[in-house]
Every structure is written in structure tokens, then in C-alpha cells.
Amino acid sequence: MLSRLSELIWADWIWFPEGHGWADLTDHDGKVFPKPQDLWATIPIAFCFLVIRQIFERTVAIPLASLLGVSDKQRVRAPPNPVLESYFCSTSKHPKQSSIESLSKQTGCSVQQVQRWFRRRRNQDRPSKLKKFREASWRFTFYLLAFFAGLAVLIDKPWFYDVKLIWENFPKMPLLPSQYWYYMIELGFYISLIFSVASDVKRKDFKEQIIHHVATIALISFSWLVNYIRAGTLIMLVHDAADYLMESAKMFNYAGWRRTCNFIFTMFAAVFIVTRLIILPFWIIHTTFVYPLSLYSPFFGFYFFNGLMCVLQVLHIFWAVLILRMVVKFLPGNDIVEDERSDKEETESDDEDGDCERREKSRNGHVQNGHTVLNNNHNVPRSLKARR
């Protein structure tokens, strides 16, 4: 039963165009082809990345952070309070006003004290600026090295200049040693990101990041299995082209180097849009999705591969919107770039502003559509408005 099911799942007609199959990937005459068991090598490589990352962060990232002036503000810890802690952990980190008033009665604290406790408690769970810098510097180092390594692998290949050549002699294209290591290292790195997701900085696009990592791992693995190696290397290179710029912009952002951060982020936005929204869909995806129809009849593997490509492209459009929003924010006022995906730390003035607004509401008493109308923003400094 299991053998029949395995034969059905791995049937040639599912994964290859008509007239081709797994037999085409058998080594012969000194030519080596990708094999499913090769992918097991990515697991120890992923664990090696986790170890190397710890060493890198301690020996390189932390001294670099000190050199660039990365520093964390001293955070005031929330005092121990079993009632509030229980609500924070089990119910909500952002209680509604009615819940705050109820907790105030239960604990004997004022409403302002309860709000201040939750704000400080939320700040305790937020990653420090140094932790963010360490993570960004590690990813910057990998993406930078991976991009130039990929460029070295592809620069002398004819399909780097004529994308349609990725289908030449498919699937009987022998595997090159440089392609093997490029694949194993890239796949091992993305698997290491899955392993470290619990300890990494969680941003607002956490779910999208997980989908991206899973889709990338599936795409790289599948392209290896069916010998879409040429297309796979081009896709990995296009992705790495912008990532190291984003991570370096983050590093200078955490260090407070405003002009450097803005300059690098502008470069990143331009490279991201060109590579992810122009080159990838109109050159690479067109060559993997449209051009093959003139060579082969559609098959399941064709749809599966391009389905994963479409998932990645949707995520690219999602992130492009966030990137453009950040560009629009910092260009007019020349302010520092704030990562739209980051959870901003709350400050003491946030509560003070909220208290002032509540007192103003009680004094005004005029309500429109269920909300008190406020008109007290004309004297607020621009820097305070920006923080809000």
C-alpha cells in the first residue's frame, strides 16, 4: 500500500514534462545531478549557522555596536503585582478602559497607576536596541556575503544574461560544485531562521515572515529535487540583492546615524522595487511560468513551483507598500526612518499626554459622535507630534 502510494506521489508525469522523469537525474559519464538525499546536509549546516551566529554576535556585533554608539535607555521595571501580571499574561497586554477601571478597584491603584504599570510591563517584553542591532548585523553579514558569492557563481553563466536558457536541456543539466554549495548554504541559512524564530525579534509582519521562510524553503528544496537549479540560483541572487541594504539601514538606525540610515534606506527601496517588482516578475517568473508553455505541456510540478513564486510575489508587494510608506514619511521632514514592522517603545510622556487628554475631555464636556472634541494640538511641539 505504502509503496503504491509512494510510486503515485513520485510519478514522472506529476513532476516532469512529458517524456522526462527521475531517470534523467541519474549520474552518468562523470555528470552529477541533484539528489533528494543531498538536502539532509542542510540540517547540520543550519545548526552550524546557529553556533556561528552566537559567536559572531558576541565577538563582532557587540563591539561594533559599541563603536557605532548603540545604547539602550534605562527601562523602569513594573513593580510586582500578581493581579495585573495575571491579567497581562492570560487576558490582554492592552486592556480596555473598562478593564483598567476594574483592575484599579481590585488592586487599590489609581487608573493612571494601572496604565503606567501596563506600559512599563509591555516595555519589559520589547527587545532592546542592542538585541535588534545584533540580529541585523548578523543578517547583514550573511546577505552581503551570499549576494557576492551568488554573483560569483552566476557571472560567467549564459543563463545569467539570457534567462530563457534556464530551460536548455532540461532536466538533463549536470550539477556544478558551485551550485551545490550555493544551494546548501542558502537553504541551511533559511532553516536556521526557522529554528531561531522563537528568540528573534518579533515584528508586526511576523506571520508574513514565517510564510516567506516556509515558502522559500519549499521553493529551494523543490527546485533542487526536480533540477530547476538554474532558475533557483537566479531567484536567490535577486532576493539577496536588496536584503543586505535593509539590514545595514537598520544597523545605522539603531545607532542613530540619521543621514546614513536615510541614504542607505533610499538605496534599499530602489533596489527592492527594481529586483522584486520588476526583474523577478517580468523576467524570472515570466520565464518560469509563461515561456515554458511554448516548450512543454503544463504539469503539476510546473504549477507547484510557480504557485510558490506567486506567494513570494504577493509578499513582495505587501512589503513594498510598507517600504514606500516609510520613504514618504522620512523624505519631506528628513526624519529618521522608523521600521513600519517594529513595535515602538512607549515613553513616560505617552501616559502624561493621555492623562492630559482625559482631563481636557472632562473639562470640555462637548461630545461629537460619542467622542469628546479636542482642539489642543496647535501648541504641541513638532517633535512631540512626531513621537505620537
Side-chain angles (χ1 to χ4, degrees):
M1 180 66 179
L2 292 178
S3 61
R4 289 178 63 89
L5 181 62
S6 177
E7 290 178 4
L8 178 62
I9 292 175
W10 299 108
D12 291 345
W13 63 270
I14 294 179
W15 305 110
F16 295 92
E18 185 178 357
H20 297 284
W22 298 106
D24 294 327
L25 302 183
T26 303
D27 296 349
H28 61 86
D29 300 329
K31 296 180 180 179
V32 178
F33 296 87
K35 302 174 183 61
Q37 57 267 30
D38 294 337
L39 296 178
W40 288 110
T42 60
I43 302 300
I45 290 175
F47 281 108
C48 286
F49 271 124
L50 294 176
V51 174
I52 295 171
R53 175 178 176 175
Q54 295 301 316
I55 298 172
F56 174 88
E57 290 187 359
R58 285 172 170 77
T59 60
V60 178
I62 293 178
L64 182 60
S66 177
L67 181 65
L68 294 178
V70 178
S71 60
D72 287 307
K73 295 180 180 179
Q74 186 67 29
R75 293 177 178 175
V76 181
R77 297 184 64 84
N81 190 309
V83 175
L84 299 182
E85 184 68 28
S86 175
Y87 188 95
F88 181 89
C89 296
S90 61
T91 306
S92 175
K93 296 180 180 181
H94 298 270
K96 297 180 180 180
Q97 185 62 29
S98 58
S99 300
I100 290 176
E101 294 173 356
S102 175
L103 291 169
S104 175
K105 295 177 181 178
Q106 294 179 44
T107 58
C109 301
S110 67
V111 170
Q112 289 78 14
Q113 287 174 326
V114 173
Q115 290 173 328
R116 186 175 296 112
W117 188 95
F118 274 93
R119 174 180 52 75
R120 291 177 176 175
R121 184 63 181 83
R122 287 192 294 269
N123 281 342
Q124 286 178 209
D125 286 352
R126 290 188 174 94
S128 67
K129 192 178 294 184
L130 179 59
K131 177 179 174 61
K132 293 179 181 179
F133 181 89
R134 289 164 56 184
E135 179 179 311
S137 61
W138 163 246
R139 296 192 183 196
F140 162 76
T141 303
F142 175 81
Y143 290 135
L144 180 67
L145 296 176
F147 172 70
F148 285 103
L151 199 60
V153 169
L154 288 167
I155 196 69
D156 61 341
K157 305 300 187 294
W159 57 87
F160 181 70
Y161 305 95
D162 185 358
V163 185
K164 291 182 180 179
L165 293 178
I166 64 175
W167 294 104
E168 186 180 34
N169 297 324
F170 175 80
K172 303 176 182 180
M173 303 172 291
L175 177 67
L176 303 175
S178 58
Q179 293 174 326
Y180 173 87
W181 286 109
Y182 189 29
Y183 254 78
M184 295 300 108
I185 290 173
E186 284 274 357
L187 184 54
F189 178 76
Y190 279 104
I191 293 175
S192 75
L193 293 183
I194 294 293
F195 289 160
S196 64
V197 69
S199 59
D200 284 345
V201 176
K202 291 182 175 59
R203 305 182 187 276
K204 294 177 183 178
D205 64 343
F206 176 75
K207 292 180 180 179
E208 289 81 5
Q209 285 282 2
I210 294 298
I211 294 173
H212 176 269
H213 294 340
V214 172
T216 301
I217 291 172
L219 187 66
I220 296 175
S221 300
F222 176 74
S223 65
W224 177 268
L225 292 175
V226 295
N227 205 14
Y228 286 4
I229 301 295
R230 294 180 179 180
T233 51
L234 290 174
I235 294 166
M236 291 188 293
L237 181 69
V238 165
H239 279 75
D240 291 336
D243 287 340
Y244 71 90
L245 290 171
M246 179 60 180
E247 299 302 332
S248 62
K250 289 181 187 178
M251 293 167 61
F252 286 107
N253 185 11
Y254 303 142
W257 292 37
R258 177 176 303 182
R259 294 185 182 277
T260 305
C261 172
N262 289 354
F263 175 73
I264 296 176
F265 187 82
T266 304
M267 291 178 57
F268 159 74
V271 173
F272 184 94
I273 290 172
V274 170
T275 56
R276 308 286 184 94
L277 301 187
I278 298 177
I279 294 178
L280 185 65
F282 295 107
W283 268 268
I284 298 179
I285 294 181
H286 180 272
T287 307
T288 62
F289 191 59
V290 178
Y291 176 71
L293 296 177
S294 64
L295 304 176
Y296 311 105
S297 299
F299 52 99
F300 176 79
F302 164 84
Y303 291 117
F304 182 76
F305 179 82
N306 287 289
L308 293 174
M309 292 292 293
C310 290
V311 170
L312 290 180
Q313 191 57 41
V314 170
L315 292 173
H316 296 159
I317 295 172
F318 168 78
W319 282 316
V321 172
L322 296 183
I323 291 167
L324 292 176
R325 284 173 58 183
M326 286 187 274
V327 169
V328 170
K329 281 185 177 181
F330 84 81
L331 281 180
N334 198 31
D335 292 328
I336 195 166
V337 177
E338 293 290 348
D339 193 341
E340 286 281 342
R341 306 171 301 154
S342 296
D343 190 13
K344 298 178 183 177
E345 185 169 338
E346 299 165 274
T347 61
E348 293 290 339
S349 60
D350 292 336
D351 276 353
E352 293 170 2
D353 294 342
D355 294 344
C356 290
E357 289 182 2
R358 284 188 293 274
R359 288 195 294 269
E360 188 69 22
K361 287 180 182 180
S362 64
R363 286 201 301 269
N364 289 343
H366 179 64
V367 177
Q368 184 179 31
N369 294 331
H371 299 281
T372 304
V373 177
L374 299 178
N375 187 23
N376 60 346
N377 287 330
H378 56 280
N379 291 325
V380 179
R382 286 184 65 187
S383 60
L384 185 56
K385 287 182 179 179
R387 280 164 46 198
R388 291 183 183 176

